[in-house]
Amino acid sequence: MSDIALVTGTSSGMGLAAAVALAGRGLTVVATMRDPGRAGALRDAADQAGVAVDVRALDVTDEAGAAACVEGVVRDHGRVDVLVNNAGRGCVGTAEQLDLATVREQLEVNYLGAVTMTKLVLPGMRAAGRGRVVSVTSVGGVVGQPFADAYCGSKFALEGFMQSLAVVAERFGVWVSVVEPAAVASDFVANVQRPSLDADPYATLLAAYVRRTEGAFANAQSTLDAGAVIAACATASEYRFRWQTSPGATAFVGMFLADLDGERVLGATRTWIA
Ligand SMILES: NC(=O)c1ccc[n+]([C@@H]2O[C@H](COP(=O)([O-])OP(=O)(O)OC[C@H]3O[C@@H](n4cnc5c(N)ncnc54)[C@H](OP(=O)(O)O)[C@@H]3O)[C@@H](O)[C@H]2O)c1
């Protein structure tokens, strides 16, 4: 019997690619998205790969809807063996530019959405004595970056939750991992929330940051490559907590882990707005 994987945020990008890659590895994939009317790209990709996916509606910020979705999957497929918390949204802005509603929305989607889903699948995984929870965080979940205060805050929170859970869940046979992409060529940048720049004292710095980011995204990893790493993490035969999707992401995250006084990261990211 194949494992049952539930993936969030599969209307586009890495979630779409990961859903197809997991189905290609023989898992039964429940591919969730806010609006199943937008499943066309996913269905096309699944058809091209010769695999099937079970598309279902899920907004990760809707707690009752999330519970109903997981209940439906358990009713129809018997259980959830693999959860991929992929749904997420970007946000550009430094502290003063961010209203609290925007910061809360980042936490709701990027952090609490994954927490909600994880809490819903854990009882079944614990009882079964096996399961995988894979959360797509970001290199921005390890390294703070200019004008990413709310986004990195939400992804740091998610890393902290998952890292804390990992050793406890492991005792019950549940492997908890984070996948940390750097720049990936998805709809992510187009969907990013941006501040208004009228008479803004940060406008020059933000323009420098945007230029630097455009450069980074010119060499972005493909969603197919990044999705394949997510699928590899979710099906790995040996446990590892931290995964990056590219050598560039590994180098960037490695900078932080070696940065005991914090200066290495600030030295590098200062040049982004020089
Ligand atoms: N692209 C990058 O450079 C990059 C780098 C590091 C980490 N990441 C992370 O990778 C993950 C996937 O992003 P992506 O690059 O593939 O971007 P993407 O193409 O914009 O995909 C994001 C997905 O999340 C979904 N989503 C947003 N809010 C949601 C909600 N409330 N409930 C359910 N789904 C929701 C979107 O669905 P809708 O169509 O309904 O909006 C979309 O399918 C995100 O967690 C992102 O933070 C991206």
Side-chain angles (χ1 to χ4, degrees):
M1 201 168 18
S2 64
D3 276 354
I4 315 299
L6 189 162
V7 187
T8 69
T10 62
S11 64
S12 61
M14 280 178 255
L16 183 161
V20 173
L22 284 166
R25 285 173 179 256
L27 282 78
T28 297
V29 173
V30 179
T32 66
M33 60 187 69
R34 286 193 288 192
D35 174 9
R38 297 189 54 220
L42 170 66
R43 291 194 193 284
D44 288 349
D47 284 350
Q48 270 175 22
V51 297
V53 289
D54 175 2
V55 175
R56 297 190 182 209
L58 171 63
D59 180 333
V60 297
T61 65
D62 171 6
E63 209 180 323
C69 176
V70 171
E71 269 170 37
V73 174
V74 171
R75 186 181 58 238
D76 297 341
H77 294 287
R79 61 198 188 278
V80 177
D81 300 301
V82 175
L83 168 67
V84 179
N85 289 312
N86 164 77
R89 184 151 187 225
C91 172
V92 169
T94 194
E96 275 195 86
Q97 297 169 321
L98 295 165
D99 55 50
L100 270 182
T102 305
V103 178
R104 278 201 185 96
E105 202 227 345
Q106 283 286 291
L107 287 170
E108 288 287 346
V109 179
N110 295 345
Y111 175 57
L112 291 173
V115 170
T116 300
M117 293 306 298
T118 302
K119 281 178 61 60
L120 285 168
V121 301
L122 269 178
M125 292 181 180
R126 178 180 45 72
R130 66 188 288 272
R132 309 280 179 98
V133 175
V134 175
S135 291
V136 181
T137 59
S138 171
V139 294
V142 180
V143 181
Q145 302 169 32
F147 295 100
D149 310 17
Y151 179 70
C152 287
S154 69
K155 293 290 189 177
F156 268 59
L158 183 54
E159 289 247 343
F161 186 93
M162 293 299 156
Q163 197 169 23
S164 301
L165 171 64
V167 290
V168 176
E170 188 183 24
R171 297 290 286 269
F172 295 90
V174 180
W175 291 359
V176 174
S177 295
V178 293
V179 178
E180 300 161 336
V184 175
S186 66
D187 295 345
F188 181 78
V189 173
N191 291 336
V192 152
Q193 296 163 273
R194 291 179 175 76
S196 130
L197 283 179
D198 294 343
D200 190 307
Y202 297 101
T204 309
L205 298 182
L206 180 54
Y209 168 74
V210 168
R211 271 196 307 280
R212 185 267 163 200
T213 303
E214 282 167 0
F217 274 86
N219 299 308
Q221 183 181 25
S222 73
T223 55
L224 268 184
D225 276 5
V229 175
I230 296 169
C233 167
T235 55
S237 55
E238 285 187 13
Y239 177 54
R240 191 167 113 203
F241 173 68
R242 203 179 280 287
W243 293 64
Q244 294 85 39
T245 61
S246 61
T250 302
F252 195 55
V253 169
M255 180 170 74
F256 174 79
L257 295 176
D259 187 16
L260 294 177
D261 67 0
E263 186 49 37
R264 254 184 109 180
V265 167
L266 297 194
T269 56
R270 257 180 216 122
T271 67
W272 295 13
I273 51 174

